[in-house]
Structure formats: C-alpha cells, structure tokens
Amino acid sequence: RTGTKQSKIIEMLKRPEGATVEQIAKEANWQNHSVRGFLAGTIKKKLGLALTKNKTHVDDSDEPSSSLTIYHLA
C-alpha cells in the first residue's frame, strides 16, 4: 500500500544515498531501536528484501572514531 510508514521507509532505502537510522526514526516518529527492529524483522525476515549497510567516517564530529551507518536496499 502507498502512504504507509512501511512504504515510506522502503522508498527511503531505495534512494541512491540510502537512509540512516536517525532519518528513518524522524520520518516514522519511532525510537532508534524500533527502526533497527523493523529493518531486521520486517524488511529482512518478513519481506525477504536484501538490506545492505555501509559505515562511513564522519569528519565533522568531535568524536575521534565517529561513524555513520547508511542502509540501502540491494
């Protein structure tokens, strides 16, 4: 169905730049742990979609080992 939270999140994951947990949480009005559960339980297990993640280093952070995880649908 169109217009559901699930369909919006899938569209975000299809974008060339993908989506972070924080971006999905903001769009769906969920907590970060709920997003991770949705990605593992619904996207991967229930729907059987291939989900990939890439960690990138964030240079503008004060933390020396700060990274950002970006999720994509393969």
Side-chain angles (χ1 to χ4, degrees):
R1 298 182 315 203
T2 59
T4 64
K5 287 183 182 181
Q6 179 174 313
S7 67
K8 289 178 184 178
I9 293 169
I10 290 172
E11 287 303 314
M12 291 176 76
L13 294 170
K14 286 181 178 178
R15 299 183 305 195
E17 67 272 16
T20 65
V21 169
E22 291 79 13
Q23 290 170 334
I24 296 170
K26 184 177 179 181
E27 175 69 29
N29 197 24
W30 289 345
Q31 297 290 322
N32 291 354
H33 66 274
S34 299
V35 172
R36 288 188 293 273
F38 176 81
L39 293 175
T42 301
I43 297 295
K44 290 175 77 173
K45 290 182 181 177
K46 184 179 175 188
L47 298 176
L49 299 174
L51 186 67
T52 61
K53 64 180 179 178
N54 299 318
K55 282 194 175 188
T56 59
H57 179 70
V58 178
D59 291 329
D60 61 347
S61 175
D62 293 334
E63 299 293 321
S65 62
S66 181
S67 65
L68 184 64
T69 303
I70 302 172
Y71 293 88
H72 298 270
L73 282 179

